[in-house]
Amino acid sequence: MSHIKYYLYKNIFFSIILYIVLIILLNDLPEEIKNNGIFKQFFDFSNWVEQKAKFTSTQMQESNLALNFLGNLRKLTFSEAKAFQNSGLIHLLAISGGQVVPLANGISKVFSYILFYIFYKNTNPNKLMSFINYFKIYLSLFISLIICSLFGWTGALIRVSALSYFQSIKFVQSQYFSFFKLFPFLTSKIFHKIFVLILISFSFGNVFINFSFLLSAIGAIVLEISSYITNFLISNLKIFKAICNTILTSFFTGIILYPFTNIDIINSCSANILALPIVCFLITPLSLLAIFIPNQFIFYPYIIYFLDISLFILKKIAFTFSINTTNKNPFDKNNPIFSLEGLVYLNTILIILWIFSDFLKERKLFKARNKFLALK
């Protein structure tokens, strides 16, 4: 057992050191690459979405809130922004994984089923399933990059493309076997993440100085850990799993961001339980339809109407659960979270959560490998 603990602590130590070295090196990139990256300078179609969003929002009562979901534009009044901040719902305003992953996965699944029914009679089943699996990954990645381009390459969207899809590419995964001897104390999950972070930082800018990326990544990893705890506590009953997962995610996120937001954690949990289904099942699909369906479509006015009602309900929840704990505008760059101290804090928390999650996923493999090393 002492050998296992020794290798565990050594693994954690080297993981932290590698993350710190990576952050320092990425901060020394040329300014143009560090701030913008290489890729997104040539593929940015956000102007079209922005214009469509502005036109569509003029037809709605909740025009300010609509712009957040239609074009990723921050046009809330101070009272609206404060209500979402104090109720713990402000994270729902960012276009991120909640919008991209269902859309990318949904489209890729439809095409995968089509391919299966076309080729399953004349193709080896194993080869066909392997091809479909790779096809889904690359198609989902392609769709996610298009959405990133349409909505301005925000850090939250880049996080989804990189950590949801890039890590699944065979080329990325194969690099671990090439460099394993150089990093024997790293889990494959941590290595893949570091490899992808280097790749996307050159392509889209240094993610460790991107507050949108950091906040989105913290939210995603907290959700992942909460899901693990929920599955351990509740074996079935999906509705209770969803409620428990929402409560745990809101609770942990509230604790992490409490020094900068001062929200009421219990109040935030209650607000999120009510608001999340509205955003996921109403606002997100209706927003996408409103953007991509032509205005002349016969049912377009009904899409706008129901989207407006959904946004009104979301705002009503935010104001109902808003407790006047702070008068700071959450979008104000003078907010402490956007300071150097906030940047260091968010990076530290994110690295700790990533390492914890990766060890949680690979705990059995880690124990087996370290037992083998202990026998040498």
Side-chain angles (χ1 to χ4, degrees):
M1 181 64 76
S2 60
H3 289 289
I4 295 176
K5 286 184 177 180
Y6 168 75
Y7 284 109
L8 172 63
Y9 295 144
K10 202 165 186 177
N11 201 316
I12 293 173
F13 173 76
F14 277 105
S15 300
I16 293 172
I17 293 299
L18 266 182
Y19 275 119
I20 292 173
V21 170
L22 177 61
I23 291 171
I24 294 171
L25 291 177
L26 291 178
N27 201 53
D28 286 334
L29 289 173
E31 286 299 316
E32 188 63 28
I33 296 178
K34 183 171 72 174
N35 296 327
N36 301 305
I38 298 171
F39 189 83
K40 70 178 184 180
Q41 297 181 49
F42 305 101
F43 300 96
D44 189 350
F45 303 104
S46 58
N47 286 335
W48 175 80
V49 171
E50 185 176 326
Q51 295 305 315
K52 181 71 182 290
K54 288 179 179 178
F55 173 78
T56 304
S57 65
T58 58
Q59 307 172 52
M60 305 172 67
Q61 295 291 322
E62 301 298 335
S63 57
N64 289 338
L65 189 54
L67 285 171
N68 284 272
F69 292 97
L70 293 171
N72 213 26
L73 301 171
R74 301 288 178 257
K75 297 293 182 180
L76 297 184
T77 63
F78 177 76
S79 61
E80 290 171 338
K82 191 172 71 169
F84 277 93
Q85 167 84 343
N86 292 343
S87 61
L89 297 179
I90 200 163
H91 65 97
L92 296 179
L93 300 182
I95 295 177
S96 59
Q99 288 88 346
V100 177
V101 173
L103 182 65
N105 289 353
I107 294 175
S108 62
K109 279 184 180 180
V110 170
F111 279 95
S112 297
Y113 283 124
I114 293 172
L115 287 174
F116 177 79
Y117 283 111
I118 291 175
F119 296 110
Y120 80 98
K121 290 183 178 179
N122 302 313
T123 309
N124 179 283
N126 292 330
K127 290 184 178 179
L128 179 60
M129 295 309 296
S130 177
F131 170 76
I132 288 176
N133 181 54
Y134 289 126
F135 175 81
K136 286 172 62 178
I137 292 171
Y138 285 105
L139 181 60
S140 297
L141 175 61
F142 178 72
I143 293 170
S144 67
L145 289 175
I146 289 177
I147 296 174
C148 282
S149 175
L150 291 172
F151 291 101
W153 299 102
T154 65
L157 291 175
I158 292 170
R159 190 270 308 168
V160 176
S161 295
L163 300 183
S164 297
Y165 300 119
F166 267 116
Q167 283 193 129
S168 303
I169 295 175
K170 189 175 182 179
F171 169 76
V172 174
Q173 295 181 339
S174 65
Q175 300 309 304
Y176 179 70
F177 299 102
S178 304
F179 291 94
F180 174 74
K181 291 182 179 180
L182 297 176
F183 304 99
F185 298 106
L186 283 185
T187 65
S188 60
K189 295 288 183 184
I190 290 175
F191 179 86
H192 293 153
K193 196 173 273 92
I194 290 175
F195 188 87
V196 168
L197 290 169
I198 294 172
L199 180 65
I200 63 172
S201 291
F202 275 94
S203 302
F204 308 113
N206 183 1
V207 294
F208 289 106
I209 61 173
N210 188 317
F211 286 98
S212 174
F213 177 91
L214 294 172
L215 291 169
S216 173
I218 287 174
I221 198 65
V222 168
L223 176 62
E224 191 176 287
I225 294 172
S226 299
S227 298
Y228 179 86
I229 297 172
T230 299
N231 291 332
F232 178 77
L233 295 175
I234 304 174
S235 57
N236 47 25
L237 299 173
K238 290 186 178 180
I239 183 64
F240 290 111
K241 278 189 173 184
I243 293 173
C244 180
N245 199 18
T246 302
I247 291 173
L248 289 175
T249 303
S250 301
F251 181 75
F252 293 140
T253 305
I255 291 175
I256 290 170
L257 298 180
Y258 185 79
F260 302 98
T261 58
N262 296 318
I263 62 172
D264 184 278
I265 295 175
I266 304 301
N267 201 61
S268 173
C269 292
S270 304
N272 275 278
I273 290 173
L274 295 174
L276 275 171
I278 294 171
V279 173
C280 293
F281 301 115
L282 289 174
I283 294 176
T284 295
L286 289 171
S287 297
L288 293 170
L289 289 173
I291 285 293
F292 295 110
I293 288 182
N295 300 347
Q296 296 78 20
F297 182 62
I298 187 171
F299 294 115
Y300 191 80
Y302 295 100
I303 294 173
I304 299 300
Y305 175 73
F306 286 113
L307 175 59
D308 212 8
I309 292 176
S310 303
L311 292 170
F312 172 78
I313 295 172
L314 177 63
K315 191 169 82 169
K316 195 71 175 176
I317 294 172
F319 275 96
T320 301
F321 287 88
S322 176
I323 297 178
N324 192 21
T325 56
T326 178
N327 288 318
K328 294 177 180 176
N329 187 336
F331 297 128
D332 186 355
K333 291 301 180 181
N334 292 321
N335 189 312
I337 200 170
F338 298 115
S339 64
L340 179 60
E341 291 78 10
L343 191 66
V344 173
Y345 175 80
L346 293 177
N347 275 283
T348 303
I349 293 295
L350 181 58
I351 290 171
I352 292 172
L353 291 175
W354 272 345
I355 292 174
F356 175 74
S357 173
D358 291 335
F359 277 107
L360 204 61
K361 292 175 185 175
E362 296 197 2
R363 65 193 186 284
K364 291 182 179 179
L365 178 62
F366 177 77
K367 288 181 179 179
R369 184 175 62 185
N370 287 329
K371 282 182 179 179
F372 174 76
L373 291 173
L375 294 175
K376 289 186 176 181

